[in-house]
Amino acid sequence: MSQSLLYHAFGVREGYEYRRTDYVEGRVEFHLDVREDALRCPRCASTEYGRRGGRYRRVAGMPIGPKPVVLVVEVPRCECRACGDTFEVSPFAPAYAHHTAGLAQYVCRLSQMMSLTDVARITHLGWDTVKNIVKSDLLKRYSNVPLNGVTRIAIDENYLGKKAKFVTLVIDLDSGHVLWIGEGRGKAALEGFWPKLQGSKAQISAVACDMSAAYWAAVMAAPTRSRHRVRSL
C-alpha cells in the first residue's frame, strides 16, 4: 500500500510503516509499525533509547464504503538513554480515544447534515462515541465565543424535555450564531452572560426577547442597559 495514501486518506503520520492488510469479519485492518529512526524522546529530543516492551493499539479509521477500517498501530515503550525518561509513542488519535483524529473530524462534518444515529451507522462507531466527539467539538468551538462586533441579540428559551427542562439561548441576530446557552430560564440563566458581554465591549443597539417579564427585567438590569433598545418578539 502507498504510504501517501495512508497519510492522506487515513491520517497516518510519518514515522509509521505499513506491514499488511487483514480482512476480518467484514472489517479492513491495516497493521502499522513504528520506524526505528522516528523514535525520539519527547523530553530531551534524544534519539538514543532502549526498547522496554510495548503494545498494539486498535484505532478506528475512515471507513471504505460500507467497510469499517481498523488501524492496528504499534505503541512501543522506550527508555531514553540520555535523560532516563520512559515514554510511549502517541499514535495519530486523541488521548484515550479509539478513533483517529481524521475520523473525528469526519463525524463532526456529517453531524451537520444528519442525525447522530445516522452518523454512527455510516462511521461504524457507537452512538455514545459519536455524541462525545460532537460534544467535544462544540465545547471547543463555542465555549468561548467572541462577542466583539455583536450589535443585535435575541434572547429566548427552549424546552428540552422533562429531564433537562429549559435552557436560555442568546443569539446574534445578524449572523445567527449562538452566543450563550444558560441552564434554566429567566434572569438567573443570563447572569453569566452579562459580564462576558461587558468585558467584550460590544456595542449592543437592540435586544429582541419574548414577553416574559423575567427577560425584560434581566435586560433592563444588565450592565450595558443604557445601549439597549428592547423589542418584543
Side-chain angles (χ1 to χ4, degrees), residues 199-220:
S200 71
K201 298 182 180 180
Q203 299 295 314
I204 302 299
S205 61
V207 178
C209 60
D210 63 19
M211 297 299 292
S212 169
Y215 288 139
W216 281 72
V219 170
M220 299 309 295

Side-chain angles (χ1 to χ4, degrees), residues 10-208:
F10 301 100
V12 176
R13 68 184 185 209
E14 294 183 3
Y16 281 89
E17 290 182 320
Y18 167 75
R19 292 302 183 196
R20 71 178 193 272
T21 301
D22 291 339
Y23 303 94
V24 183
E25 297 178 351
R27 299 188 307 273
V28 180
E29 296 189 351
F30 297 126
H31 291 253
L32 309 168
D33 287 342
V34 175
R35 288 204 332 260
E36 295 294 330
D37 61 351
L39 292 174
R40 184 181 300 272
C41 176
R43 181 178 177 184
C44 68
S46 172
T47 56
E48 298 296 325
Y49 62 89
R51 289 264 191 159
R52 296 294 182 267
R55 57 194 173 92
Y56 279 86
R57 182 174 170 186
R58 299 174 64 83
V59 181
M62 295 283 288
I64 301 177
K67 299 286 187 181
V69 170
V70 175
L71 305 176
V72 185
V73 187
E74 183 189 19
V75 183
R77 185 173 179 82
C78 305
E79 182 179 347
C80 177
R81 294 195 178 106
C83 68
D85 192 30
T86 300
F87 63 93
E88 282 189 347
V89 176
S90 177
F92 33 86
Y96 307 107
H98 297 282
H99 55 267
T100 64
L103 182 56
Q105 294 174 3
Y106 184 50
V107 164
C108 293
R109 289 198 298 269
L110 289 177
S111 70
Q112 299 174 12
M113 299 177 283
M114 60 187 70
S115 70
L116 298 188
T117 299
D118 290 333
V119 175
R121 186 179 298 113
I122 289 173
T123 58
H124 307 282
L125 296 173
W127 188 90
D128 286 333
T129 299
V130 169
K131 180 200 71 174
N132 289 334
I133 290 173
V134 174
K135 182 178 179 179
S136 177
D137 178 67
L138 292 175
L139 286 173
K140 182 179 179 180
R141 288 195 291 149
Y142 297 114
S143 60
N144 190 25
V145 179
L147 299 179
N148 53 307
V150 176
T151 58
R152 302 188 304 160
I153 61 174
I155 302 171
D156 201 6
E157 62 193 35
N158 192 14
Y159 183 65
L160 300 181
K162 293 182 179 180
K163 185 175 180 180
K165 296 186 179 180
F166 287 93
V167 294
T168 294
L169 304 178
V170 180
I171 300 170
D172 184 344
L173 279 173
D174 296 303
S175 69
H177 293 162
V178 176
L179 305 176
W180 176 263
I181 301 176
E183 293 184 4
R185 54 179 174 171
K187 184 177 180 180
L190 294 169
E191 286 181 353
F193 175 70
W194 302 124
K196 184 177 179 181
L197 181 64
Q198 189 175 28
S200 71
K201 298 182 180 180
Q203 299 295 314
I204 302 299
S205 61
V207 178

